[in-house]
Amino acid sequence: MSLGRRSASAKRGLLAGVALMVFCGAAQAQEAARPAAAASPDGLAPGQLYMEADLVIRDDKNKITTAKGEVEVRYQGRTLRAEELVYDEAKGLMRARGRTSIINADGSVQYADEIVLDDEMKAGVATGFSARLQQNVKMASASAVRRSDTINELNRAIYTPCDICAPDGQTAKSPTWSIKADKVVQDKDRQIVYYRNAVIQVMGVPLIYLPVFWHPDPQAQRKSGLLPPEISFSDRRGVSYEQPYLFALSPSTDLTLSPQINTKVNPLLNGKLRKRFYSGGVEARFGYTYDDDIAAPPGQSGDETSHSYILASGAFAINENWRWGFTAERTSDDLLFDKYDIGGVYEARGPYVADDRRLISQVYTIREGQRSYFSAAAFTVQGLRPDDNDRTFPIVAPLIESRWEAEPSILGGRLRLRASAVALTRDQSPMGAPPLRLAGLDSRRATGEIDWRTTFVSKAGIVVSPYVQARIDAYSIDDNLQGVLSGGSRSDDLIRGLGVAGADVSYPFFKRYKNFTAVLEPIVQIALSPDVKQVVLGRDAAGAPIYLNEDSLAFEFDETNLFRPNKFPGYDLYEDGLRANVGGRASILWDDGRRASLLFGRSLRTETNDVFSAASGLRPKSSDWIVAASAEPIRGVSLFTRARLDSEDFDIARAEAGANVSSKWGFGYVRYLRDRSNPISLDTNGRVENLDLGGEVFVTKNWSLTAYGQRDLASDAWVLRDIGVAYRDECLRLDVFFRREDAIANRLGATESIGFRLTLATLGEPIYGN
C-alpha cells in the first residue's frame, strides 16, 4: 500500500519515526538549513510523505495506526525502514521494531532493534543502537536515550572512525583504534562528546583508561580541544614534548597554544592566532622562552634572557579591485628557530619574499583590473645568516609599480605604459668595519616606460613580432662612499633615457604523425639600443666602474630571459648595443598526454659589455649556451634540466636537474644543482653543488618508508638526513623518523633526533594520502 498524504495525526506519528536520526544529530542541522520551498532529493514536495508497507491497519477506537511488513517511509530526503511501525495517538508514542534503519540525506545511517519516541520528538529510547556517520565514524551501544533536543546518551558504547569489516566484507575485524565507555553523552549545544569510564583501544588491546574523556563532536566545524602532540628526542633539546591546544574563541577566531617541554633546555611557548573578517583575515605565529644566551660561545651557557619571535600576515579586500595586506616577521635571535626546531619559518606570506634565512616585514596595497595594475609597498629585512648586518639592509619605502594597457590596439599592436618608483634608505654602509659607523648608500628612482609590440604572420607561416620600448629614469643618490672614503661622501642626481627596438622572428614547423605531433621552431630576436648612461658609483682598485645595482643582484642567465631584449630583471642596469638572441624550440606532444620539449640558444653582440659580470656568461660578444629540457615520458614521471654551457669549451657553468615520480607504490623527487661561480661560497672556491632527494615508498598497503637528504657535494658532506617508517590506514597515521643535521649548515653544531608524529582521524588533522 502506498499513499501521498495522510491525516495530521498519522503524519505526526510517521514524522516521529523519521526523526530517529536525532540520536546522532547529523541531519537536523541540514534540515533546518534547507530552503522551505526546495524539493527533497526523493522528489517529494515540501510537507509530503511517502510510505510503503505490506499492510496498514487503523484502529479508530483506540487511535492506533500499525504498518507491517517491509515498511518504508520517505520524508524530505530521509528513509525509515522497519518490519513494523506502530503509532499510539492517545499515548503520544511511536514504536518501530525489527531491523530498523534510518538513511539520511547526508549518507549517514542509524540502526536499532527497536525504537520508541514521543510524538513531539523530544524524548525516546533505542535498543541495539548503531550508527554510521560522516567521516566514516561508527558508533554502537546497547541502548540510546534521547534526553532532549540537544542531549543524546549512549550506554555501553563504542566509538571508532576505523573500518570494522575485513576486506571481504563478510567478517568483522578489530578497528585500529576505538574508544569504549560505560556512557557517552552527546551535547549538541556545546558540540562535545563526553565519555565516562573510557578505554582507548589499539588493535583491540586496551591501552589507556580515562575516568572522564571528551572530544569535539565529529560534525562540529571547529571546537576547542587538544590536538595531536609531537614527541622527539634530540641531543640538543633532550626529550621534547609539544602539546597543542586549540581555543575556538568565536566562529571567526581561534588560538592555538603549543607549549614545548624539553629536558635539556627551558620550555618554549608557541602560539598561533587566526582571525577572519568579512574582508579578509589575519594569522600570527609567535613564541617565547626565557633561557640561556643562544649565541654564547661553545662550552659557555651565557646569561639567561628572553627569546621570542613573531611570524604574522594579513590580507584584506577593499573592494572588487583593491586589496591590502601586511607581514610582520622578526626574531630576537638568529638561531632561535634552529635551537627549538621551529618549522615553516621561511614561507611566502606576502607578495614580496626575502632570501632563505631572512625575514621580511611589509605592508602593501594592490589594485588589479582587466587592463591595469598598481601596487605600493614598504618593507624591511632581517638577516639570520652569520655575516648579516641588519643595519646595512635598506628600508624600502615606498616601492611603487603600475601598468596600463590601451584598448583598442594602437597602430595595430599592443601598447603598454609602465611607471615605477622606489626609495632605499640605509643606516650603515658595509664598507669598512662596522665600528666606523659609516653612513649607508641612499637612493631614489622614478621611472616611466612605454612598450609597443605587434605580430604579423606571413602566408608561408613566418611569425614576425616588431617591438619598441622607451624609458626615462630619474635618480637621486646620497651618502655615496665609493672612492671618497678620505673626503667624506658625495651625492649625485641623474636623468637618463633608454630605449630598444627590434623584432622577434620565428618559423614554426608542425608535423603530424600517427599518435603524436612534432613542433620545431627556430627563433631569432634582433635588438638595438643606443649606448646607455649607467649609474656609476665609483671605480675599484683596478679602475673598473662600480655600477649601482640594487634590483638585479640575483640575476641569472637562463631560458627565462634568453629572449628578453633587456636581460636584467630590475631597473638599475640596462643592456645596450646591437645584439641578436638566437635559438630554437622543439616539442613532441603525444595523444595520450606524454610530452617532451627542448630549448637551446645564445646571445650574440657586436661589442663586449662589461655591465654584465664576468660570471654571468653574457659579457663577451658570444654568450654562453643555454639549454633547457623537460619531459613526461610516462604517467607519474616528470623530468627537467636546465644548463648554461661555456661558450668556448662547453664546460658546465651552471646546471640544474630534477625528477618527480608518483605511483601506487609511492612518490619521490630528486634535485641537483651545480654552479661554479657563486660568489657567496668562498670556502669552496666559488663552487656550489647540492643534491636534494626525498620520498615515500609503500612497502605494503599500510606500511611505508620515508627518506629525505640534502648533501653538499662541494664540501663532500651531508647537511641533513632524515629516514623514517610510517604506518597508515583509513583512520590513523603514525610516523617515526630519525634525523641528523650536520654542523656544515648549522652554527649550533651537529645534532641527532628521533621524532614521533601521530594523527588520528576525527581527533586531529585529517588522514592524507589514503
Side-chain angles (χ1 to χ4, degrees):
M1 175 180 180
S2 63
L3 47 106
R5 290 188 179 273
R6 304 287 292 169
S7 66
S9 60
K11 189 174 179 180
R12 280 200 306 272
L14 294 171
L15 289 182
V18 177
L20 217 48
M21 56 82 192
V22 298
F23 283 112
C24 293
Q28 284 269 357
Q30 293 190 359
E31 177 65 24
R34 184 181 292 117
S40 59
D42 53 22
L44 297 176
Q48 283 191 327
L49 177 146
Y50 177 86
M51 185 183 76
E52 289 183 358
D54 294 341
L55 178 66
V56 176
I57 302 172
R58 172 64 180 174
D59 184 346
D60 291 326
K61 179 179 180 181
N62 296 311
K63 296 185 177 181
I64 296 176
T65 302
T66 303
K68 293 184 177 182
E70 302 298 330
V71 180
E72 181 173 310
V73 180
R74 295 200 296 271
Y75 178 74
Q76 291 193 352
R78 283 167 265 167
T79 300
L80 165 67
R81 291 172 181 164
E83 294 180 350
E84 183 180 74
L85 193 63
V86 179
Y87 175 56
D88 189 329
E89 185 177 352
K91 295 180 179 179
L93 293 176
M94 195 281 301
R95 184 186 302 270
R97 299 190 185 98
R99 294 182 298 174
T100 303
S101 65
I102 293 287
I103 304 173
N104 300 302
D106 62 1
S108 60
V109 185
Q110 290 82 44
Y111 307 91
D113 294 335
E114 183 175 352
I115 300 175
V116 179
L117 287 174
D118 66 1
D119 59 357
E120 294 183 357
M121 298 178 288
K122 291 184 176 180
V125 177
T127 58
F129 175 80
S130 62
R132 182 185 296 273
L133 309 180
Q134 293 175 327
Q135 301 185 53
N136 201 33
V137 170
K138 277 81 67 178
M139 300 181 72
S141 66
S143 63
V145 180
R146 175 176 167 82
R147 300 290 185 187
S148 66
D149 291 338
T150 60
I151 300 295
N152 298 311
E153 181 181 298
L154 304 179
N155 298 296
R156 294 167 55 198
I158 184 172
Y159 168 100
T160 182
C162 308
D163 288 344
I164 56 176
C165 294
D168 60 12
Q170 303 297 319
T171 58
K173 77 177 187 71
S174 296
T176 305
W177 69 271
S178 62
I179 304 175
K180 283 188 175 181
D182 290 345
K183 182 174 291 187
V184 181
V185 178
Q186 179 192 35
D187 189 330
K188 291 192 285 184
D189 279 346
R190 297 183 178 181
Q191 294 185 319
I192 288 180
V193 179
Y194 296 92
Y195 296 80
R196 295 182 184 175
N197 295 323
V199 177
I200 299 178
Q201 299 184 133
V202 177
M203 300 296 183
V205 178
L207 191 65
I208 300 175
Y209 167 76
L210 298 169
V212 179
F213 175 72
W214 68 93
H215 63 76
D217 191 311
Q219 270 122 50
Q221 295 295 318
R222 294 166 58 256
K223 191 63 182 174
S224 299
L226 295 171
L227 299 178
E230 292 190 9
I231 305 172
S232 63
F233 305 87
S234 70
D235 49 15
R236 182 178 297 157
R237 299 188 310 278
V239 180
S240 179
Y241 179 87
E242 184 169 348
Q243 177 60 71
Y245 190 94
L246 173 69
F247 296 89
L249 304 178
S250 73
S252 60
T253 308
D254 62 50
L255 171 66
T256 302
L257 294 180
S258 305
Q260 182 189 104
I261 310 299
N262 311 285
T263 58
K264 287 189 175 181
V265 296
N266 287 353
L268 171 73
L269 177 63
N270 291 296
K272 179 189 289 187
L273 176 67
R274 299 186 300 179
K275 172 67 176 179
R276 295 292 301 177
F277 300 91
Y278 73 95
S279 61
V282 173
E283 180 176 311
R285 292 175 56 193
F286 56 88
Y288 174 83
T289 186
Y290 190 81
D291 202 355
D292 296 337
D293 184 5
I294 297 176
Q300 301 179 21
S301 61
D303 297 330
E304 287 194 342
T305 185
S306 294
H307 309 274
S308 60
Y309 72 89
I310 184 170
L311 303 169
S313 64
F316 304 90
I318 300 174
N319 54 35
E320 182 179 355
N321 295 322
W322 283 90
R323 69 180 190 272
W324 76 277
F326 72 91
T327 68
E329 302 178 355
R330 280 298 183 268
T331 179
S332 61
D333 305 86
D334 293 353
L335 300 174
L336 181 63
F337 300 124
D338 300 306
K339 182 175 181 179
Y340 287 93
D341 194 23
I342 300 169
V345 174
Y346 308 106
E347 297 177 350
R349 297 178 178 85
Y352 301 95
V353 182
D355 297 333
D356 188 36
R357 296 196 64 83
R358 285 174 178 166
L359 304 178
I360 183 170
S361 298
Q362 60 190 291
V363 60
Y364 61 89
T365 183
I366 297 174
R367 184 193 185 279
E368 289 185 280
Q370 289 186 343
R371 309 184 73 84
S372 63
Y373 173 87
F374 173 85
S375 70
F379 59 82
T380 63
V381 174
Q382 179 186 10
L384 306 183
R385 298 176 182 176
D387 299 328
D388 282 343
N389 178 3
D390 293 345
R391 300 183 67 182
T392 66
F393 293 156
I395 298 174
V396 182
L399 172 60
I400 299 173
E401 297 177 300
S402 62
R403 181 183 69 249
W404 175 79
E405 190 170 310
E407 186 182 17
S409 61
I410 304 296
L411 300 177
R414 181 265 295 154
L415 178 67
R416 182 176 293 165
L417 302 179
R418 293 188 181 94
S420 71
V422 66
L424 307 178
T425 304
R426 285 182 175 83
D427 182 46
Q428 190 177 100
S429 171
M431 299 177 62
L436 295 179
R437 300 183 182 278
L438 300 176
L441 179 69
D442 301 334
S443 65
R444 291 158 294 279
R445 174 188 54 80
T447 296
E449 182 178 8
I450 183 171
D451 178 5
W452 177 87
R453 177 184 287 267
T454 191
T455 299
F456 304 101
V457 181
S458 71
K459 293 182 179 180
I462 300 175
V463 181
V464 181
S465 299
Y467 61 86
V468 176
Q469 297 174 8
R471 199 176 95 192
I472 185 169
D473 296 334
Y475 280 90
S476 176
I477 299 173
D478 295 323
D479 296 330
N480 182 9
L481 302 175
Q482 294 289 345
V484 293
L485 285 178
S486 60
S489 64
R490 73 171 190 267
S491 299
D492 297 287
D493 294 324
L494 171 70
I495 296 179
R496 65 177 182 178
L498 313 102
V500 61
D504 297 344
V505 182
S506 65
Y507 194 3
F509 296 90
F510 296 84
K511 177 67 174 179
R512 175 63 188 175
Y513 293 89
K514 182 178 180 181
N515 61 347
F516 68 90
T517 300
V519 182
L520 182 64
E521 183 181 13
I523 306 171
V524 176
Q525 181 184 72
I526 303 297
L528 174 63
S529 300
D531 292 341
V532 171
K533 186 177 182 181
Q534 308 288 352
V535 183
V536 179
L537 299 176
R539 294 188 177 273
D540 60 18
I546 300 175
Y547 299 111
L548 176 69
N549 182 15
E550 300 280 13
D551 49 18
S552 296
L553 294 173
F555 168 69
E556 182 66 46
F557 180 36
D558 58 22
E559 76 279 7
T560 63
N561 51 35
L562 171 62
F563 294 103
R564 285 188 54 181
N566 174 34
K567 293 180 174 55
F568 290 108
Y571 290 87
D572 294 337
L573 301 179
Y574 196 87
E575 185 177 7
D576 57 8
L578 176 61
R579 63 266 189 199
N581 302 313
V582 299
R585 283 191 289 254
S587 301
I588 299 179
L589 308 175
W590 281 271
D591 297 342
D592 58 6
R594 293 177 296 153
R595 59 185 60 234
S597 64
L598 171 68
L599 180 145
F600 67 94
R602 70 190 308 191
S603 182
L604 306 173
R605 65 181 66 255
T606 58
E607 301 290 339
T608 60
N609 193 334
D610 65 356
V611 176
F612 294 104
S613 68
S616 68
L618 280 164
R619 177 174 285 190
K621 293 182 180 180
S622 299
S623 76
D624 289 349
W625 286 93
I626 296 298
V627 180
S630 64
E632 297 179 17
I634 59 177
R635 183 183 298 274
V637 177
S638 62
L639 311 169
F640 75 89
T641 183
R642 56 179 62 92
R644 178 163 61 88
L645 308 179
D646 189 273
S647 60
E648 297 181 358
D649 56 13
F650 294 98
D651 188 22
I652 297 176
R654 190 180 191 278
E656 185 178 357
N660 299 287
V661 179
S662 178
S663 73
K664 65 179 181 179
W665 304 108
F667 60 89
Y669 69 91
V670 61
R671 300 285 186 272
Y672 171 80
L673 171 65
R674 178 183 178 184
D675 192 342
R676 71 180 184 185
S677 56
N678 193 315
I680 66 173
S681 299
L682 301 178
D683 55 338
T684 56
N685 297 319
R687 183 170 67 94
V688 171
E689 193 170 6
N690 296 326
L691 179 68
D692 291 277
L693 66 164
E696 182 173 3
V697 177
F698 305 136
V699 180
T700 67
K701 178 182 178 182
N702 302 114
W703 290 93
S704 62
L705 298 176
T706 62
Y708 171 76
Q710 180 182 350
R711 185 169 178 81
D712 188 332
L713 299 176
S715 301
D716 193 22
W718 286 97
V719 178
L720 178 66
R721 284 166 285 179
D722 190 324
I723 186 168
V725 60
Y727 174 87
R728 65 172 192 165
D729 58 23
E730 74 285 347
C731 62
L732 173 147
R733 180 176 176 113
L734 173 64
D735 291 90
V736 181
F737 54 89
F738 168 81
R739 176 174 299 164
R740 177 178 172 82
E741 299 178 50
D742 292 333
I744 184 174
N746 196 317
R747 286 178 284 161
L748 290 174
T751 182
E752 296 180 348
S753 62
I754 298 176
F756 301 86
R757 186 180 301 114
L758 175 65
T759 305
L760 301 178
T762 75
L763 297 185
E765 300 175 2
I767 305 297
Y768 295 107
N770 213 14

